[in-house]
Amino acid sequence: MTTTTAPPTPPGAHLPEHPDFLWRNPEPKRAYDVVIVGGGGHGLATAHYLARNHGITNVAVLEKGWLAGGNMARNTTLIRSNYLWDESAGIYEHALKLWEGLEEDLGYPILFSQRGVLNLAHTEQDVRDSVRRVEANRLNGVDAEWLGPDEVAKVCPIVNVSDDIRYPVQGATFQPRAGIAKHDYVAWGFARRADEAGIDLIQHCEVTGFTTDGDRVIGLRTTRGDIACGTVALCAAGHTSVLLDELGIPAPLQSHPLQALVSELLEPVHPTIVMSNAVHVYVSQAHKGELVMGAGIDAPTGYGQRGSFSIIERQMAAAVELFPVFARAHLLRSWAGVVDVTPDASPIIGCTPYDNVVLNCGWGTGGFKATPGLGWCLAHTTAHGEPHPLVAPFGLDRFSTGALVDEHGAAAVAH
Amino acid sequence: MQLITCPWCGPREETEFHYGGAATVPYPADPAALGDDAWARFVFVRPNPKGPATEQWSHAAGCRRWFTAVRDTRTHRFLATVDIQPEVPR
């Protein structure tokens, strides 16, 4: 007597099919017209706009880890353009306008939510600086208003605006068009578009050196073989110094840990973004419900993607003072990224002593908000060999000429 | 909480210390002779190594003395802390 048994099925066979990959994982070719070093937000956005605006698609994006797994996965996703100086307003407002149309451009949801940002003032000097910044923003076409403590409480009822805290809230600047977005979706949207255009996104491919010929870089040495290049665009954020040291280009960058943290998932309690430079914390509530908080860098330099607990402790003290309702929230996890900080808290973008190497670095604690604007302008810079007008003020030469773009007031603590 | 060994006080919590940047930046011997690029390099450019870095630290909440430390920036581990080098040109 024989019995028939059904063939064994692998575990999980009854589950739906895996979704399609959003991009190929190609083997690197031996040569490209453009090689972008760094597969984070800036590198991927640059790749997208190279294809979209300039028709340049023989491009590789080299990423030493996995796509968008560095600072793009670690930032706190705040998007705003309320910087003081004309140069900064130009690039950040360009970025904000692109954010406003990015879902349509990428054909991908990015959960961009324009819920506004409050930058709190706690002292007389804070008030003067903040009002000045509001006026400067308006002159540059950036939406901004000055709110007194009562108006702050209307925008965000959970902020403690009473007089009985150590640094009472004296008012705040408010940019209604500021917001948050889902950082992973942003990266995946750019990556998918770049891949569709034929650009090779190459992961686990670390650049270990450069082959130079006079004033040109003719090739990159990588952990996946040598790759010849027409133009190189460096988008390596906290690891830029490692690459520039290989090229012998001195740059005023210091790589610091920048920590952030989230609470467990909570009911919607926080309708906007609140930042406080003086009390040293900033908070938003993500779509899922976790409170997302950050503050300043750890003072010592470090490439370790971890920071000191004392920084988190101070940040929590500030958060609980400003938001008494958070006192019983639990910290779910904290992490750190490596951010490249410049002396004037503005990025370094533009040409280098090498004819075919363009540089994008120094975004410090606030590169995410600039992602589409920077990608647009760096693609232009890469395609034309000279800086896009919006990034021209941010060249490496400003440290010799003295034309610094000092944004410590708008940028120093938090983004 | 990391412990840092002060050359005079021994191991103390890191919150007692103040980071003072790279320890390897001599003041220019002839400042008036520097061009803009060289001056910018002295004012703004500091080593930013991924690996051992020679740094100045101060035991700010202790003996308040400065010392030189060698620290691995990949792990944040202190490899050595020694009395500050007295080679300040005057």
Side-chain angles (χ1 to χ4, degrees):
Chain A
M1 185 176 165
T2 58
T3 56
T4 54
T5 52
T9 54
H14 62 289
L15 294 172
E17 290 293 305
H18 286 292
D20 291 335
F21 285 106
L22 291 174
W23 52 84
R24 302 162 290 131
N25 270 302
E27 283 298 312
K29 292 190 287 187
R30 294 280 63 94
Y32 291 94
D33 291 341
V34 176
V35 175
I36 297 169
V37 183
H42 286 196
L44 294 169
T46 302
H48 167 66
Y49 290 114
L50 272 174
R52 178 188 182 276
N53 294 355
H54 305 281
I56 297 172
T57 57
N58 185 19
V59 176
V61 180
L62 309 184
E63 168 53 49
K64 73 183 168 73
W66 63 91
L67 275 194
N71 293 349
M72 192 62 178
R74 295 158 195 274
N75 71 84
T76 47
T77 81
L78 306 190
I79 295 161
R80 62 189 176 92
S81 63
N82 56 352
Y83 283 72
L84 177 63
W85 299 107
D86 298 354
E87 296 86 347
S88 314
I91 179 70
Y92 289 112
E93 179 62 17
H94 178 55
L96 181 49
K97 290 200 171 93
L98 288 174
W99 280 112
E100 288 171 333
L102 199 57
E103 282 203 356
E104 294 77 51
D105 182 19
L106 298 179
Y108 199 79
I110 58 167
L111 305 187
F112 181 43
S113 162
Q114 291 180 288
R115 54 185 64 186
V117 62
L118 290 166
N119 290 74
L120 302 182
H122 299 271
T123 64
E124 285 286 309
Q125 188 60 43
D126 267 357
V127 172
R128 285 192 288 266
D129 290 347
S130 301
V131 171
R132 178 191 179 199
R133 199 147 58 234
V134 164
E135 302 297 352
N137 289 162
R138 285 181 172 171
L139 288 172
N140 279 315
V142 176
D143 59 319
E145 3 178 339
W146 168 255
L147 306 182
D150 294 344
E151 296 165 298
V152 169
K154 279 184 199 142
V155 173
C156 187
I158 58 172
V159 177
N160 183 1
V161 295
S162 71
D163 280 337
D164 63 355
I165 63 175
R166 186 167 176 191
Y167 300 107
V169 175
Q170 312 267 331
T173 68
F174 186 49
Q175 184 182 20
R177 285 164 62 240
I180 59 173
K182 184 91 176 107
H183 52 95
D184 288 335
Y185 290 6
V186 175
W188 299 341
F190 277 118
R192 191 180 71 128
R193 269 285 187 261
D195 179 81
E196 280 173 359
I199 289 172
D200 285 355
L201 310 177
I202 299 165
Q203 304 183 72
H204 305 292
C205 180
E206 181 170 4
V207 173
T208 56
F210 299 89
T211 308
T212 59
D213 180 12
D215 289 339
R216 296 182 65 80
V217 168
I218 55 174
L220 299 95
R221 292 193 294 277
T222 82
T223 51
R224 295 182 68 176
D226 292 353
I227 297 173
C229 57
T231 303
V232 181
L234 300 180
C235 293
H239 279 74
T240 300
S241 289
V242 178
L243 296 172
L244 292 182
D245 284 349
E246 287 287 329
L247 286 168
I249 301 174
L253 297 170
Q254 294 283 284
S255 296
H256 291 269
L258 176 65
Q259 301 190 69
L261 57 94
V262 290
S263 73
E264 82 266 52
L265 308 187
L266 301 168
E267 294 293 312
V269 291
H270 185 16
T272 182
I273 305 160
V274 172
M275 309 179 69
S276 168
N277 284 12
V279 185
H280 230 76
V281 73
Y282 62 93
V283 190
S284 67
Q285 187 168 18
H287 295 89
K288 275 190 302 182
E290 65 267 51
L291 298 167
V292 183
M293 301 190 210
I297 54 171
D298 283 37
T301 59
Y303 288 87
Q305 291 188 323
R306 56 187 292 194
S308 293
F309 182 72
S310 56
I311 306 287
I312 297 284
E313 198 174 23
R314 206 180 320 156
Q315 193 173 320
M316 292 299 88
V320 172
E321 169 138 300
L322 281 176
F323 301 92
V325 70
F326 293 171
R328 291 189 187 173
H330 296 104
L331 190 159
L332 194 66
R333 64 181 185 278
S334 71
W335 64 91
V338 184
V339 300
D340 44 332
V341 173
T342 62
D344 60 355
S346 284
I348 299 172
I349 311 155
C351 301
T352 68
Y354 289 93
D355 290 342
N356 62 334
V357 178
V358 298
L359 180 60
N360 165 51
C361 62
W363 288 92
T365 57
F368 175 76
K369 68 173 75 64
T371 300
L374 178 281
W376 182 289
C377 295
L378 194 66
H380 176 104
T381 305
T382 305
H384 295 278
E386 57 185 53
H388 185 283
L390 287 176
V391 298
F394 297 101
L396 197 48
D397 61 349
R398 73 176 186 271
F399 297 97
S400 298
T401 63
L404 302 184
V405 187
D406 180 1
E407 287 292 356
H408 282 287
V413 166
H415 287 257
Chain B
M1 186 74 70
Q2 191 173 13
L3 294 179
I4 299 174
T5 303
C6 171
W8 295 279
C9 309
R12 297 293 186 93
E13 289 187 355
E14 63 176 282
T15 50
E16 294 186 14
F17 294 86
H18 175 78
Y19 171 73
T24 52
V25 186
Y27 194 76
D30 185 6
L34 296 189
D36 287 349
D37 286 341
W39 192 245
R41 204 169 296 185
F42 168 68
V43 173
F44 294 121
V45 178
R46 293 291 178 273
N48 189 24
K50 185 178 184 181
T54 307
E55 302 171 332
Q56 308 174 101
W57 285 76
S58 159
H59 191 186
C63 64
R64 299 201 54 77
R65 291 170 76 174
W66 286 87
F67 60 94
T68 300
V70 180
R71 190 177 60 97
D72 190 328
T73 62
R74 293 166 298 192
T75 59
H76 305 177
R77 182 186 296 274
F78 283 77
L79 306 176
T81 52
V82 295
D83 191 356
I84 197 160
Q85 300 302 307
E87 300 161 12
V88 181
R90 292 291 178 206

